[in-house]
Amino acid sequence: TVRRTGGRRMKTRVIVGLLLVLLLISVLYFGGFILLSVLSLFSIAAIYEMGLTFRKKGYTPIVIPAYVFAVGYSFIYFYFGLLPMIIFYMTAVMTTMIYSLFTKAHSTNDVIPSLFIMNYPTLFLMCMLLVYFSFDRPTALVAACMAYAAPECSDTFAYFGGTLLGKHKLCPAISPKKTVEGAAFALLGGVVFGFVVFYLQRLWGGAVQMSVLLPLGLGCGVLSQFGDLFASTLKRWAGVKDFSSVFPGHGGIIDRIDSIMFCTPLVLCVFVILRTLGTL
C-alpha cells in the first residue's frame, strides 16, 4: 500500500511538473500581456503564501501594499522602465512603514514580517522579471532558460540521485530528506542543463558561449539548493510542510520557485556583465 501510494504521488508530481513546464514555455512564447499577467498572478500568490506562513506563527503582516505592487510592477517596468518600477517598489515599502504607525490592527511585531515580504519573495520576483525583459529576445530566452529551468533540472537530478543513491544526510536539522549524494547530482543537473541550452539556443538564434553556460549551470546547481534550504527553514519555523497546496505533489508557488529565486540574481548579474563587456 505504501509503495502504491508513493507511486501515485510520483505520477502526480511528474504530471504537474510537465504541465508547469508547458505553462512556462507557453508564456515565454507568447510574451507581452500574457507573460506580464502570469507574473503578476504568480507574485500575488507568492505574497499570499508568505503572509499565510507568518499568520501561522501568530503574526499579521501588512500585505496590501505588497499586493498592489505585485499587480502593477511588471506592467510599470514594461511600459515605463526600470526607474519607475524602483520608485513604485520604494513607495510600497514606505507605505507599509507609514501605515504601521497609525493602524491598531497591526502591532509593532507585525512590521518585521511585513518588510520581510517586501524582500522575500518580492525583490526576487523583480529579478525574475528583469532576467527576461532586460535583453534582446534571443539572449533573453537563454537567460530565462538558465534562471527558470536550470534550477528545476538541478532539483530533478537531486531528487532522483538522492532517492537512488542517497545515504549521507546533508542538512538534517533543516531538511531531513536531503543528502550529500543528491546535492552532488544537483550540481551535475545544472551543468547538464547548461550543455543542453548551448545547443537548444540555436532554435531561436541565441549565441551564448558554452564557457559561460556550463559554469553558470554549476552556479545554479549550487544556489538552487540554498534557495530550497532557505524555504525549508521558513517552513520548519512555521510548522508547515508546504507553503500551500495549489500544485498537487509540488506544494505552493514558493515551493516551486524557491530555487529559481536564488538563481535568478546570479543569472541576471552574469548576463548584465557579459552585455557590458560586449560579449553578448
Side-chain angles (χ1 to χ4, degrees):
T1 304
V2 174
R3 182 178 299 177
R4 190 160 50 245
T5 301
R8 284 198 298 267
R9 288 177 180 174
M10 174 62 70
K11 183 178 179 180
T12 301
R13 183 181 180 90
V14 170
I15 291 174
V16 174
L18 290 174
L19 290 175
L20 289 174
V21 170
L22 290 175
L23 174 63
L24 173 61
I25 293 172
S26 299
V27 297
L28 289 177
Y29 174 78
F30 289 107
F33 183 82
I34 293 177
L35 176 57
L36 297 174
S37 299
V38 170
L39 281 171
S40 291
L41 290 173
F42 268 59
S43 300
I44 292 168
I47 289 169
Y48 170 79
E49 289 177 354
M50 191 53 59
L52 184 64
T53 301
F54 280 112
R55 284 194 289 274
K56 289 183 180 295
K57 292 294 291 184
Y59 298 98
T60 309
I62 302 166
V63 292
I64 292 179
Y67 281 139
V68 172
F69 179 80
V71 170
Y73 78 102
S74 60
F75 294 95
I76 288 178
Y77 175 78
F78 186 78
Y79 291 108
F80 301 105
L82 178 61
L83 183 58
M85 184 180 71
I86 293 175
I87 293 172
F88 186 39
Y89 172 76
M90 290 308 304
T91 300
V93 173
M94 293 177 66
T95 300
T96 301
M97 299 169 73
I98 293 171
Y99 179 76
S100 70
L101 299 175
F102 300 99
T103 179
K104 295 181 180 180
H106 302 273
S107 67
T108 305
N109 290 335
D110 295 327
V111 178
I112 301 302
S114 303
L115 295 177
F116 180 90
I117 291 172
M118 291 303 304
N119 287 275
Y120 184 92
T122 307
L123 273 178
F124 291 88
L125 292 166
M126 289 170 63
C127 283
M128 290 176 65
L129 169 77
L130 293 172
V131 157
Y132 182 76
F133 285 108
S134 297
F135 312 98
D136 60 86
R137 184 168 174 80
T139 303
L141 287 172
V142 177
C145 282
M146 295 305 298
Y148 305 158
E152 295 299 305
C153 186
S154 294
D155 288 348
T156 301
F157 269 64
Y159 178 81
F160 287 105
T163 300
L164 296 174
L165 302 174
K167 294 181 179 179
H168 303 89
K169 299 297 183 182
L170 181 65
C171 297
I174 299 176
S175 185
K177 293 184 179 180
K178 293 192 180 301
T179 63
V180 175
E181 292 80 5
F185 268 79
L187 302 182
L188 176 62
V191 174
V192 168
F193 190 81
F195 181 81
V196 171
V197 169
F198 175 74
Y199 293 100
L200 187 65
Q201 66 180 326
R202 296 176 182 178
L203 296 175
W204 59 79
V208 183
Q209 297 298 314
M210 187 178 289
S211 59
V212 172
L213 295 175
L214 294 187
L216 185 57
L218 180 64
C220 287
V222 173
L223 289 179
S224 67
Q225 296 180 79
F226 284 116
D228 190 58
L229 287 171
F230 181 75
S232 295
T233 300
L234 292 176
K235 288 186 286 187
R236 182 169 288 273
W237 170 75
V240 297
K241 182 180 182 294
D242 296 312
F243 285 101
S244 75
S245 57
V246 64
F247 299 128
H250 289 264
I253 295 291
I254 297 180
D255 292 293
R256 292 315 314 144
I257 67 172
D258 53 8
S259 299
I260 296 173
M261 286 194 290
F262 267 54
C263 292
T264 304
L266 171 65
V267 175
L268 180 61
C269 287
V270 168
F271 275 76
V272 168
I273 292 172
L274 291 175
R275 184 177 61 185
T276 302
L277 296 175
T279 57
L280 283 180

